[in-house]
Every structure is written in structure tokens, then in C-alpha cells.
């Protein structure tokens, strides 16, 4: 443990305010649960290598979702196989009987192995429990608790307490659909229904579901359910692995999509937000639905150019549902506590920017946040160039002719590890009253963009040289008004350990 917490986290590309494992490989966030003042984060981890391999659950704990304390490995492969993705819950009523009438944490996850008779790969669901606030875990002797031999891909159970029905509910990926189960005790599971074979995107295998209810526009009397589904990589799809969501209703047994089956809602329009799921048991008086995703893409996840570790997570985000002309949609914004890392370096108000001007000239920063409210005054394009030097830049901008926000990482730095990495992508945003809000977080190897009220998020890895620290705001083909803009350096969450 001491070793874990005395690492310097100062390597090339090492994220300074995003979570990354101390060493070796990480993919999906797992088992996120809040319990007795702590946010737990487990994650898919291969402790023997910086490429994917036999999966364990790594572990970290935070009190504010910003600063993380590294903990030893929580779950290791056993006779039932390696430990794939899953969730964790607080068993408040000791429904499992693991806690002698008290409370504790139960993890529900997939174990991956092969059938000793047929040699075929199989995925079955198991439990582990912790009586000491997640520090040590015991595998349940009755594992596995849920199997379905019809599916080779049967994984990533997300479990929550269904208050109205007084029982546990599970959403689990089963090949090309999501299956729903219920249980009184987390051990015995009853199949209820399945969803999605003909709905949404099927560009890849379905993985890592999450299912939760949110008020619409903050109105507790109007609530809808959100079903998040990640879809795996497909060699024919340049965007690689991505995360979609559905909005609808759930009656304890069945999820019904309120949109057309062929409409697809993306959680994030960047390339690097996968397997995103939410925390369970966030107290009711807090009420936030908190999401975190893996900041990578199966297309090149095993090749990204880091040495000591590989993999990082997005900033934790608060999810809300908003109604609009197109329907009810998720909006997301980073957790507020990030402000505790801010050191403001420039504030602008009521400034007009003409083509060729750079109001951020002279500023240099590696890790930063920019928040801006901009007035579109006829310019064709506006944007920020971050992590800039003569040869490198990452551009985050808005193209007024198409009404789209874009991230262009085609000259962002190292990209030769995969032919598809150097790219530009974009997504629609509705601009109201000629004003556009943008918020950017730039770390040593990522850029996260939130546009409008958070209705558009774009998350992308970048691998710039350490010396590429220039900053620019530009207007093209006309003027832009800066109503307000604030540029802050973001301090390292690891610097206290250095
Ligand atoms: C998603 C995923 C999950 C699986 C895990 C294995 O990225 O493929 O479906 O449980 O990773 O590491």
C-alpha cells in the first residue's frame, strides 16, 4: 500500500487529474459504489502486463471523486475463471445473509473461463462480499449464481435495489441484447425479459449495461429510465467501441424504449469514452447520478504509447435528463469538486476577437480547464488550439456553417501506434440566442469537451509532446464575441504524493 501511494505519477502522458492505475493495464470501471463516506472504484486490471490479459479487479477509493487513494487488488481469478466487469451494491438489509444482520458490500461480476468438457469459452455470474468497507473480499462459495449456456457473451451484470418491488434487479449483456433478472437475495435470479435485438446500434457486441431512473428537467413527478449499452469494436467501423443509451420506462420486469428502434443516442461523441457506468448507493439527499467511463477505445487500447501503465478514466460526471424539441436526452457535466484543483490564470469579459487575433497569447499550460460563453457574430468557425507547438495542436471548435462542434486530433502528437487515431470528428449542437458555451478539460493525454448545457460531450485521448503547451482562441471568417472566458491551470491530484 505504501508503495502504491508513493509513486510519483509523473511519467510521460501520465494523467494528472484523471484516474489511472499505479501500474499495468486497466480497462472498464467496475463495482462503483458509495459506502460510509467513500466512493469506491474498481476496474478491469491485468497486474502482469500493460496489455489486456487475465482480469482482476483493481481498487481505488475517493472521498470527493477527484483525489484517489490506490488500494491493493480486490478480486483475483479463481476456480471459476478470471474476473470480468460487474457492479457492487450495499446490502442494506443483509438480504444475502453475508453480514450477520449488518450491512456490507456485495460485488456481482462475470467470471470467464472455458467449459472443461467442451473446451468452449463460457461466462457466468458470481458474487463476492466485503465486511470491511471494501478492503478485503471473499468469493461466495456458491458461485456461479447465474448462467445461461445459450450465450457465449453473457456478461457485465449491473445490479440495483428496486425499491418499488422490494427486490434486486439486474441488467446484463447477452450477445446482441440486454437481459433483465430479479432476485430477493442476490443469489437466486429469475429471468424477466430481454431488450434490444432490433433496437439502437449493433455495430459491435453489446456490453456493460446500466439501468437507472432520473427526473426529467428536475421534476421528481416526471421520471424516466435510462438504459446505457456499450457496443464493442468492429473492424469495419472507424469509430470503434462506443456507448449508446436508450430512454424509456421500466416496470421492474421490462424496459420499453420511448424512441424509434432505429434511432441511436450516443453518450459521448468522442472516441474515448467506453464502458461508462454509474455509482450505486449515492445517498438520496445527494441524489446525483454519477458516471465514469474508460478513456480508451478497443480499436487501439492495447497500443497507446504509455510505458508503466495503460488506461485512464474520464472525469466523473453528473447525469441529468432534459426535455427538448428532439425528445428527452441526457446532459452531463463534470463533478463540482474539480474546482478545488483550479488556479485561475486568465479571465476575459466582453472581448471581440477578429480573425488573426489570439486573446490567449502568451499563456502556456499542460493541464487546464477553459470555460467560455461565446457570442456568434458571423464568424464561420471558432475554436481553441490546445497543447500547441510548431508541429502539434489539438483543435476543439465550432463550425457555424454546419452547426457542429468538432475535435481535431489529426496533428495532436504521437499517433503512429494506430492508423485510425489521427482523426477529426464532430457532432451537432443547437445554439440558442447566438450564444455557445464550451467547457474543455485538457490533461497530459486527453481532452474532454462539454458543449451547451452539457447536451454534448466529446472525450478524446491525445499524446502531445511535453513541450507542446501553447494555447490559442481563434475566429475564422468573421468576428466572435467573448461574453466570458476563464482559463485555469488544473493542479495535479498526485502532487501531494511526490
Ligand atoms: C468491455 C469488456 C466487458 C468485459 C471486460 C473484459 O470493455 O469487454 O464486456 O467484461 O471488458 O475485460
Amino acid at each position: 500500500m505504501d508503495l502504491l501511494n508513493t509513486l510519483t505519477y509523473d511519467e510521460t502522458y501520465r494523467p494528472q487529474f484523471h484516474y489511472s492505475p499505479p501500474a499495468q493495464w486497466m480497462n472498464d470501471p467496475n463495482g462503483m459504489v458509495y459506502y460510509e463516506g467513500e466512493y469506491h472504484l474498481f476496474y478491469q486490471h491485468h497486474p502482469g502486463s500493460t496489455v489486456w490479459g487475465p482480469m482482476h479487479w483493481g481498487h481505488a477509493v475517493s472521498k470527493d471523486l477527484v483525489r484517489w487513494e490506490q488500494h491493493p487488488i480486490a478480486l483475483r481469478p479463481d476456480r471459476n475463471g478470471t474476473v470480468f466487469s460487474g457492479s457492487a451494491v450495499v446490502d442494506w438489509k443483509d438480504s444475502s445473509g453475508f453480514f450477520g444482520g449488518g450491512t456490507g458490500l456485495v460485488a456481482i461480476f462475470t467470471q470467464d473461463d472455458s467449459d472443461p468438457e467442451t473446451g468452449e469459452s463460457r461466462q457466468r455470474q458470481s458474487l463476492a462480499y466485503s465486511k470491511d468497507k471494501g478492503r478485503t473480499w471473499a468469493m461466495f462459495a456458491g458461485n456461479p449464481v447465474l448462467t445461461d449456456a445459450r450465450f457465449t457473451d453473457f456478461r457485465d451484470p449491473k445490479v440495483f435495489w428496486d425499491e418499488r418491488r422490494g427486490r434486486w434487479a439486474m441488467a446484463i449483456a447477452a450477445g446482441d441484447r440486454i437481459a433483465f433478472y430479479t432476485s430477493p437475495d442476490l443469489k437466486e435470479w429469475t429471468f424477466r425479459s430481454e431488450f434490444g435485438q432490433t433496437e439502437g446500434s449493433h455495430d459491435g457486441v453489446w456490453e456493460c449495461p446500466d439501468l437507472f431512473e432520473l427526473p426529467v428537467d428536475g421534476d421528481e413527478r416526471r421520471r424516466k429510465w435510462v438504459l446505457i449499452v456499450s457496443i464493442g469494436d468492429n473492424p469495419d467501423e472507424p469509430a470503434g467501441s462506443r456507448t449508446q443509451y436508450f430512454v424509456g420506462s421500466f416496470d421492474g420486469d421490462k424496459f420499453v424504449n420511448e424512441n424509434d428502434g432505429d434511432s441511436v443516442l450516443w453518450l459521448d461523441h468522442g472516441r474515448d469514452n467506453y464502458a461508462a457506468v454509474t455509482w450505486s448507493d449515492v445517498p438520496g439527499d445527494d441524489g446525483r447520478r454519477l458516471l465514469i467511463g474508460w478513456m480508451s477505445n478497443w480499436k487501439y487500447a492495447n497500443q497507446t504509447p504509455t510505458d508503466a501503465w495503460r488506461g485512464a478514466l474520464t472525469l466523473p460526471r453528473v447525469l441529468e435528463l432534459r426535455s427538448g424539441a428532439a425528445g428527452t436526452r441526457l446532459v452531463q457535466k463534470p463533478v463540482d469538486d474539480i474546482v478545488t484543483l483550479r488556479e485561475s490564470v486568465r479571465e476575459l469579459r466582453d472581448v471581440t476577437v477578429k480573425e488573426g487575433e489570439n486573446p490567449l497569447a502568451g499563456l502556456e499550460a499542460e493541464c487546464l480547464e477553459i470555460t467560455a460563453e461565446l457570442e456568434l457574430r458571423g464568424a464561420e468557425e471558432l475554436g481553441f488550439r490546445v497543447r500547441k507547438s510548431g508541429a502539434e495542436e489539438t483543435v476543439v471548435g465550432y463550425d457555424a456553417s454546419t452547426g457542429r462542434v468538432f475535435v481535431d486530433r489529426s496533428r495532436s502528437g504521437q499517433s503512429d501506434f494506430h492508423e485510425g487515431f489521427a482523426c477529426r470528428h464532430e457532432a451537432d449542437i443547437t445554439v440558442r440566442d447566438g450564444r455557445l458555451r464550451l467547457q474543455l478539460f485538457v490533461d497530459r493525454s486527453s481532452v474532454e469537451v462539454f458543449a451547451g448545457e452539457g447536451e454534448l460531450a466529446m472525450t478524446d485521448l491525445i499524446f502531445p509532446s511535453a513541450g507542446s503547451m501553447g494555447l490559442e482562441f481563434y475566429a475564422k471568417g468573421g468576428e466572435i464575441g467573448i461574453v466570458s472566458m476563464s482559463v485555469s491551470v488544473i493542479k495535479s491530484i498526485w502532487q501531494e504524493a511526490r
Side-chain angles (χ1 to χ4, degrees), residues 305-326:
T306 57
D307 291 330
W309 88 99
R310 192 177 265 130
L313 301 180
T314 66
L315 290 177
R317 302 171 183 186
V318 181
L319 296 181
E320 288 171 10
L321 276 178
R322 293 270 171 82
S323 56

Side-chain angles (χ1 to χ4, degrees), residues 8-10 14-18 66-67 341 343 367 443-444 489-498:
T8 63
Y9 294 89
D10 201 20
R14 176 67 97 167
Q16 296 300 294
F17 60 99
H18 288 82
V66 174
R67 293 161 187 84
L341 300 173
E343 272 171 10
C367 298
D443 203 334
R444 275 198 190 162
V489 164
I490 300 289
K491 289 184 282 185
S492 170
I493 56 172
W494 307 115
Q495 69 195 4
E496 285 128 41
R498 279 188 198 140

Side-chain angles (χ1 to χ4, degrees), residues 89 96 98 108 178 202 220 251 374 427 456:
V89 292
S96 61
F98 291 146
I108 310 95
I178 301 300
H202 285 272
E220 292 293 342
D251 63 2
L374 305 165
L456 179 65

Side-chain angles (χ1 to χ4, degrees), residues 71 143-144 213 232 242 326 337 350 400 458 470-471 475:
H71 282 257
N143 285 342
E213 196 181 19
R242 288 174 291 172
D337 275 336
D350 301 325
M458 291 177 107
L471 208 51

